[in-house]
Amino acid sequence: MDEKILTQLSIELGTKLKQQKLWVTFAESCTGGWLAKAISDIAGSSAYFDRGFVTYSNKAKHQMLGVSETVLRQHGAVSEQVVKEMATGALKAAQADLAVAVSGIAGPDGGSEKKPVGTVWLGFAYRTANGIKVVTRHCCFSGDRNEVRLQAAIYSLETLLSEIIKN
């Protein structure tokens, strides 16, 4: 995979966000700020991106995003329950319209039989007329650490563009 794809998606996302006057934020664990970097690399991104959260540890997820310590203990950081809370917490903390949360096992270590290296959970939170809606996705990417992280970032932006932001 090529980082140029991430740049192209960032430009396309920025155009849509600006047109619709929407703000996006990111709560990143395994991507380590890659989404925030990709968005902020685009000139004019301050019109739709104000802040992001790199919450690599469970402590940071709890302190910065309000992820429940009980949920972290019961399900682990790489879980649907955690990315739901990460996305919702980021949305509220940043006062944004859209939030993407990413938590995964990029490798080369840290995997298990139930959660092998390449396992990534993503949460997408957004505001509706009826409150906050959260959509989650589970992926299993392949490749080395960088490839898993890049695939997670690309998938995040592709999903925002194709499923979350309405034309």
Side-chain angles (χ1 to χ4, degrees), residues 5-152:
I5 295 168
L6 193 59
T7 300
Q8 291 167 343
L9 289 167
S10 296
I11 292 167
E12 186 179 340
L13 178 62
T15 300
K16 283 190 174 189
L17 292 170
K18 195 184 273 188
Q19 287 170 347
Q20 296 182 34
K21 296 182 171 82
L22 297 173
W23 290 85
V24 68
T25 190
F26 302 102
E28 301 183 68
S29 187
C30 70
T31 49
W34 210 337
L35 286 164
K37 180 196 179 311
I39 286 293
S40 62
D41 278 348
I42 308 306
S45 59
S46 61
Y48 48 84
F49 178 67
D50 177 55
R51 68 190 84 174
F53 306 88
V54 177
T55 55
Y56 206 66
S57 70
N58 287 352
K59 183 178 178 181
K61 287 173 183 64
H62 173 69
Q63 288 178 343
M64 295 175 70
L65 303 174
V67 176
S68 161
E69 290 177 317
T70 302
V71 169
L72 283 161
R73 264 192 317 278
Q74 288 178 346
H75 301 282
V78 182
S79 66
E80 180 177 30
Q81 295 82 355
V82 167
V83 294
K84 279 183 177 181
E85 290 192 17
M86 286 174 67
T88 302
L91 189 77
K92 291 175 182 177
Q95 300 176 2
D97 301 298
L98 306 159
V100 179
V102 184
S103 189
I105 305 164
D109 302 321
S112 67
E113 193 173 314
K114 286 186 177 182
K115 295 179 185 178
V117 169
T119 300
V120 177
W121 274 97
L122 303 105
F124 302 87
Y126 56 98
R127 297 182 189 281
T128 70
N130 299 321
I132 296 172
K133 181 170 179 170
V134 183
V135 175
T136 59
R137 295 288 181 270
H138 174 253
C139 300
C140 197
F141 299 116
S142 62
D144 66 20
R145 181 175 182 78
N146 239 23
E147 291 167 333
V148 168
R149 296 171 72 219
L150 179 58
Q151 288 171 76

Side-chain angles (χ1 to χ4, degrees), residues 149-160:
R149 296 171 72 219
L150 179 58
Q151 288 171 76
I154 288 170
Y155 185 87
S156 297
L157 298 186
E158 286 175 338
T159 302
L160 265 180

